[in-house]
Amino acid sequence: MATTTTTTTTGGATGAALAGTNAASSSRKRSHAQMDDADNNGSANGLAVQADEQHAKKVLRRMYEQQRGDFTLSVRPDAASPPTTFECSSALLAGASSVFETLLFGSFAAPNLLAGPRSERVVHVSGHAPKHFELLLRFIHGEKVHFSLEESGKVYALADYYEVLSLCDYCVTAWRDDLTSSNCVSYFVLAREVGCEALEQVCLDSLTLLFSEVAERDPSLHALPADVLVDLVQRDSLMCAHEEEVLGALVKWYCTGTVHGVYASMEAMHAKRPALLAMLSAVRWDRVLSNGPTAWFPDREPHAPGDYWWAQVGRMWVKLRHLVADYFGVDREAVALNRGVRVYTEQEERAADV
């Protein structure tokens, strides 16, 4: 858009009046320091003003309405879906996004894209849901947009792709405010999916400082990537009341399926087994055996020199087996004894083998 500068010349009595005013002002005693403090954007006797945010939004909206027919943006999620079109302003989109600037005016733009007939000014994009694209366009044009936390990952990924970074910042702020020990793993998985390093680091910090709470409360613990859990159990900074809590978290991660409270399939546990062995090797077994009474071992005495070390290992293993049996509501020994009395389902049989 061309910028026009208008110069106004003051003459006659008005000029004389202004001259008289300036003469009177110059007669006042003013130090050089006071003169230097005057706003550099105007004269010593002028006014320094700036449009407020509301005014800027109003101008932006009028500009969008005037140039709305600049070009058409055609959006489709995939090649098989029908496109959804949006009438857009090339100036606004290019100003908000360097990616749009390249598509419209840069090396990737079609020759004479915006100079041709209106019917031919079409930019095609694919791989994005039109409803999310509409949210992005409305945000760029200064409108308030609403979307659920479930949709926020898609919106963030879209804004990140087109480098509308202010919208990305709003999403990250909302995620941080909503983060708890009950959804920490879910947000970590989301952060990895959309490539948000800031959210990923916040989740890692929460997992480290609230490990026991997350293991107990987050139903998505099973979805925590194996490499992350291996790294966590090796950290000196991992916060837990007792080393047995680490054991409990590993068992829960290994055994739990995608549905809360339901054990994993044999295939899923088989895929996790190599990682589980790496995690178990990182457990500080000396601290497990030397602890006094805990929730896991209410009657245990602290390990003392001369005690039969393997006897404590055996008792700990029995306790661990009982923990797993309580978690799934079925025990292998009970299944073996009662198999002649009742028929167990396939799920109960597999749970008993855990």
Side-chain angles (χ1 to χ4, degrees), residues 126-347:
S126 61
H128 308 290
K131 67 175 182 177
H132 298 144
F133 224 103
E134 183 178 5
L135 291 171
L136 178 68
L137 294 175
R138 288 175 56 196
F139 178 84
I140 289 175
H141 294 107
E143 296 182 8
K144 182 180 291 186
V145 295
H146 299 276
F147 49 90
S148 65
L149 285 173
E150 289 74 16
E151 290 184 304
S152 59
K154 300 289 186 181
V155 175
Y156 176 92
L158 183 62
D160 183 57
Y161 181 84
Y162 285 97
E163 297 185 3
V164 184
L165 302 183
S166 56
L167 181 53
C168 292
D169 292 340
Y170 282 121
C171 290
V172 174
T173 300
W175 290 337
R176 286 177 173 174
D177 293 341
D178 189 59
L179 184 68
T180 67
S181 58
S182 299
N183 57 23
C184 186
V185 175
S186 300
Y187 271 126
F188 181 86
V189 173
L190 172 64
R192 280 207 165 178
E193 287 178 352
V194 301
C196 181
E197 295 182 0
L199 178 62
E200 183 175 336
Q201 187 58 53
V202 171
C203 291
L204 278 176
D205 293 341
S206 298
L207 282 165
T208 303
L209 298 175
L210 304 171
F211 182 76
S212 298
E213 294 182 23
V214 173
E216 178 183 357
R217 300 174 183 176
D218 197 331
S220 299
L221 180 68
H222 67 277
L224 189 65
D227 63 304
V228 177
L229 193 51
V230 170
D231 174 66
L232 285 171
V233 298
Q234 291 176 339
R235 292 187 179 188
D236 292 334
S237 56
L238 188 69
M239 297 295 292
C240 55
H242 304 285
E243 195 71 10
E244 291 95 327
E245 293 180 351
V246 178
L247 273 177
L250 299 185
V251 169
K252 188 175 181 180
W253 172 83
Y254 178 70
C255 299
T256 307
T258 54
V259 179
H260 182 48
V262 177
Y263 54 87
S265 66
M266 295 301 293
E267 293 78 10
M269 289 191 288
H270 180 75
K272 286 184 174 182
R273 190 167 295 140
L276 177 66
L277 295 177
M279 298 171 197
L280 290 174
S281 67
V283 173
R284 301 177 183 185
W285 296 99
D286 57 327
R287 299 188 182 184
V288 173
L289 297 175
S290 61
N291 278 340
T294 66
W296 280 41
F297 301 89
D299 302 323
R300 183 178 58 179
E301 296 294 331
H303 174 71
D307 283 358
Y308 186 44
W309 192 80
W310 279 105
Q312 294 210 33
V313 173
R315 288 194 295 271
M316 181 184 64
W317 180 254
V318 171
K319 182 67 178 180
L320 182 60
R321 184 173 65 85
H322 288 165
L323 175 75
V324 176
D326 290 342
Y327 184 79
F328 290 108
V330 64
D331 178 75
R332 186 169 65 174
E333 183 177 342
V335 170
L337 291 174
N338 298 327
R339 190 173 276 121
V341 179
R342 56 163 290 194
V343 177
Y344 285 88
T345 65
E346 181 185 358
Q347 292 181 341

